[in-house]
Every structure is written in structure tokens, then in C-alpha cells.
């Protein structure tokens, strides 16, 4: 039997559309503008795009905690209760990922993009180019997904998702505070919030090692020392589902400025408000911290940021 030519196949599809009135399915694609976003369906899949030429809109959040430059948008509706996993890979670029829901509260005059509430976000998940987030979902919930390149990077991006269906409602776990610095001897408290769902088993993890007998919503470090510097997160277990909260990093500050952080990427370091002016020439500062980043004022100081 001979295979149908492309033209005959197109004619056959058109005939079926006329006969049945059912149009062929359109695979959702990334869109530049939030209002134009399309919706993914199903419990797993993959979508590709390229953020070259994409823009950023007024009121758009910082995806992955980073300034947005060339973001793309897409939505997903959870078909069942369960644990959702989203992975973003940048083909040759450093990718960032943000997952949101539109809050019902707020002024009717505020567009939806200004009413986005963060569900999960990630910049680097153990590698330069990839991101990973996991969170509990309920059937019918809608999520808004933004992908971008770090520090204005553009190129191909691949987003994959998978849903581990469960009868139970898995709560979302979020750390209350973000990365911060502390002075030596200070009492530092980390805490997580639990969303609706069954009560999970929690376990605090420090630099990928479980902390003994730390299974509460809060973690108290009574006498912060250099040995406490590093990444903290919570492992969450509900039945057969296991996942980690977004991590938070603790560093040491000699001046008590909790937002002054050492970073391994120059663009991240520029976002750290330090305490003394940089003595570099103005043209260099303008190149390092363009006005579009919203970085003004002083940018210098002293931190110790090693992480174990």
C-alpha cells in the first residue's frame, strides 16, 4: 500500500474537519505577552520555545528571583490531585523559571499580571542551565508559567512537566524568608508555611545532609557560626510522594546587613545592596548595573559568603 502524499493527507484532514466539525488539536506554545498565553493540557508533556526577541511587561514579577528581560508565558491546568514536577532546560543559556497563580484579591483595576502569587521558582538546580520545581496541585487548578534566560540570556528553552497523581491533597511548602546573611553569634530562625492538604512529614536538610531531629515548621540556629553557612531546605513526604522545598542560603555578614550577599554570578552580585560605594568609574558602573535593573545608590561592602 502506497503512503499518502502530503497534499492528499492535507485534503483528507480538511474533509474530516468538514464531515465531523472537529478541528485538529493545536499544541500550546509559549507566548511573549501574558494576555496571549496558551494552555497546556495533560498530566505530562514537553513544550519548546525561544525567547529571542521576547519582551518584559510592566508589573511582571522576578522569575526565579531574577530580573526579567525576555520572558515567555504559558499556562497549565492540573487534571488531577497530585505532585507536579516542572523542569526547564536552556539549550546553551542559563534558564530561570517561575510558577504562579492569579490572586482573586486586589483591585479590579489591577491587571492579572500584577496579581500573580508565586507558587514555586528556581534559577539553578545543580547545573548551570536547568531549573526544577515541585509542588502540590488540586484538580482544576490553573498555573501561570514564565520562562526566561538569566541576565538577559536568549535562546532555545525546553519545558517538561509530569504529574504524580494522588488521592490526597499535597500541601505546598514555602520558606518564609529568602537568602540572607547573619552575624556570628546571632540566633537565626528559618520557617516554612504549609498550604491546604494532608499533614506531611517534614525534615530539614543542610547542604544535602539531613539534620537530626529537625522535623518541625521552624529551624532555630541559636549561635550562628561559619559552620552553619550553606543551603537549607525541607524534605516533604506525603504517602509515596517526596519532594523538596525551594532552598534558602545563609551567609555571614560582618556588618549585620542581611541582604548583603556574596554571589558566584556577577549579575547576582550587582543585586546585593552593600554598604559602601564602588570606587569604579561611572561608565563601568553603568555597564555593570544598567538602569533597567533598577539598581541605584551605593553598591559596596564586606561579606563572607562561602557555603561549606
Amino acid at each position: 500500500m502506497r503512503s499518502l502524499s502530503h497534499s492528499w493527507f492535507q485534503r483528507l484532514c480538511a474533509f474530516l474537519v468538514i464531515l465531523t466539525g472537529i478541528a485538529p488539536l493545536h499544541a500550546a506554545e509559549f507566548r511573549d505577552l501574558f494576555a496571549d498565553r496558551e494552555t497546556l493540557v495533560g498530566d505530562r508533556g514537553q513544550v519548546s520555545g525561544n525567547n529571542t526577541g521576547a519582551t518584559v511587561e510592566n508589573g511582571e514579577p522576578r522569575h526565579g528571583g531574577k530580573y526579567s528581560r525576555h520572558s515567555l508565558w504559558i499556562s497549565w491546568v492540573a487534571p488531577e490531585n497530585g505532585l507536579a514536577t516542572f523542569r526547564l532546560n536552556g539549550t546553551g543559556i542559563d534558564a530561570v523559571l517561575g510558577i504562579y497563580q492569579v490572586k482573586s484579591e486586589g483591585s479590579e483595576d489591577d491587571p492579572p499580571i500584577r496579581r500573580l502569587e508565586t507558587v514555586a521558582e528556581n534559577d539553578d538546580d545543580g547545573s548551570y542551565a536547568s531549573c526544577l520545581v515541585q509542588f502540590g496541585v488540586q484538580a482544576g487548578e490553573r498555573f501561570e508559567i514564565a520562562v526566561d534566560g538569566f541576565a538577559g540570556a536568549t535562546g532555545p528553552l525546553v519545558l517538561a512537566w509530569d504529574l504524580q497523581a494522588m488521592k490526597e491533597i499535597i500541601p505546598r511548602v514555602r520558606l518564609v524568608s529568602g537568602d540572607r546573611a547573619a552575624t556570628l553569634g546571632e540566633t537565626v530562625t528559618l520557617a516554612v508555611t504549609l498550604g491546604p492538604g494532608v499533614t506531611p512529614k517534614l525534615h530539614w536538610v543542610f547542604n544535602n545532609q539531613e539534620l537530626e531531629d529537625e522535623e518541625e515548621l521552624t529551624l532555630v540556629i541559636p549561635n550562628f557560626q561559619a559552620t552553619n553557612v550553606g543551603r537549607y531546605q525541607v524534605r516533604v513526604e506525603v504517602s509515596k510522594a517526596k519532594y523538596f522545598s525551594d532552598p534558602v542560603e545563609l551567609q555571614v555578614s560582618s556588618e549585620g546587613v542581611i541582604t548583603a550577599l556574596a554571589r558566584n554570578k556577577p549579575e547576582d552580585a550587582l543585586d546585593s545592596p552593600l554598604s559602601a560605594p564602588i570606587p569604579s568609574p561611572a561608565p563601568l558602573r553603568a555597564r555593570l548595573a544598567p538602569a533597567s535593573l533598577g539598581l541605584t545608590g551605593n553598591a559596596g561592602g564586606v561579606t563572607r559568603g562561602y557555603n561549606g
Side-chain angles (χ1 to χ4, degrees):
M1 178 179 177
R2 293 185 303 170
S3 61
L4 291 174
S5 67
H6 181 64
S7 60
W8 273 105
F9 181 74
Q10 287 180 317
R11 293 177 187 178
L12 178 60
C13 288
F15 174 75
L16 290 174
V17 169
I18 295 173
L19 183 65
T20 64
I22 301 175
L25 293 176
H26 167 71
E29 299 176 348
F30 285 114
R31 296 296 183 189
D32 179 16
L33 299 181
F34 180 78
D36 295 338
R37 66 199 184 282
E38 299 184 345
T39 302
L40 298 167
V41 295
D43 58 359
R44 57 180 48 83
Q46 179 175 295
V47 59
S48 302
N50 193 312
N51 70 330
T52 301
T55 59
V56 62
E57 302 175 69
N58 289 331
E60 192 165 325
R62 294 174 45 154
H63 313 310
K66 314 300 179 184
Y67 286 100
S68 304
R69 307 280 192 87
H70 305 283
S71 58
L72 296 173
W73 289 95
I74 204 164
S75 297
W76 176 67
V77 176
E80 300 179 75
N81 296 345
L83 176 65
T85 300
F86 281 82
R87 295 180 177 86
L88 176 65
N89 290 314
T91 307
I93 69 170
D94 188 358
V96 297
L97 173 65
I99 311 288
Y100 308 93
Q101 285 186 306
V102 179
K103 295 184 294 185
S104 58
E105 304 87 1
S107 171
E108 295 182 357
D109 297 330
D110 287 339
I113 196 171
R114 292 183 178 272
R115 292 186 281 118
L116 292 177
E117 184 174 38
T118 300
V119 173
E121 61 184 3
N122 189 240
D123 177 10
D124 295 325
D125 179 60
S127 72
Y128 168 79
S130 67
C131 304
L132 172 69
V133 295
Q134 294 182 293
F135 52 95
V137 302
Q138 297 183 45
E141 280 191 301
R142 181 185 181 93
F143 299 90
E144 317 302 342
I145 304 164
V147 302
D148 202 346
F150 175 75
T154 58
L157 295 163
V158 180
L159 178 72
W161 79 96
D162 179 86
L163 175 64
Q164 180 183 351
M166 300 184 64
K167 294 181 179 179
E168 301 94 335
I169 296 177
I170 300 179
R172 292 177 204 150
V173 178
R174 295 278 295 172
L175 281 157
V176 175
S177 63
D179 296 348
R180 58 157 296 186
T183 55
L184 296 177
E186 179 182 347
T187 297
V188 177
T189 301
L190 300 178
V192 296
T193 60
L194 284 181
V198 300
T199 302
K201 181 179 180 181
L202 305 178
H203 207 118
W204 285 88
V205 176
F206 169 56
N207 286 341
N208 298 321
Q209 298 294 321
E210 291 187 1
L211 295 174
E212 186 175 357
D213 297 327
E214 295 293 350
E215 299 179 349
E216 303 298 327
L217 291 174
T218 58
L219 173 68
V220 179
I221 305 172
N223 181 23
F224 188 76
Q225 296 296 317
T227 53
N228 302 122
V229 169
R231 285 163 55 94
Y232 294 80
Q233 57 190 152
V234 174
R235 190 186 73 239
V236 186
E237 296 183 24
V238 176
S239 186
K240 296 181 180 180
K242 298 180 181 180
Y243 72 103
F244 288 90
S245 69
D246 295 335
V248 62
E249 184 175 355
L250 294 183
Q251 298 185 7
V252 177
S253 171
S254 60
E255 300 177 4
V257 183
I258 66 172
T259 54
L261 303 170
R263 296 300 196 189
N264 65 346
K265 297 179 183 179
E267 295 84 358
D268 273 341
L270 289 169
D271 195 24
S272 178
L274 306 180
S275 59
I278 289 179
S280 59
L284 176 59
R285 293 184 63 185
R287 290 199 303 272
L288 291 176
S292 62
L293 288 181
L295 304 178
T296 58
N298 295 336
V302 179
T303 63
R304 283 193 291 173
Y306 50 88
N307 58 12

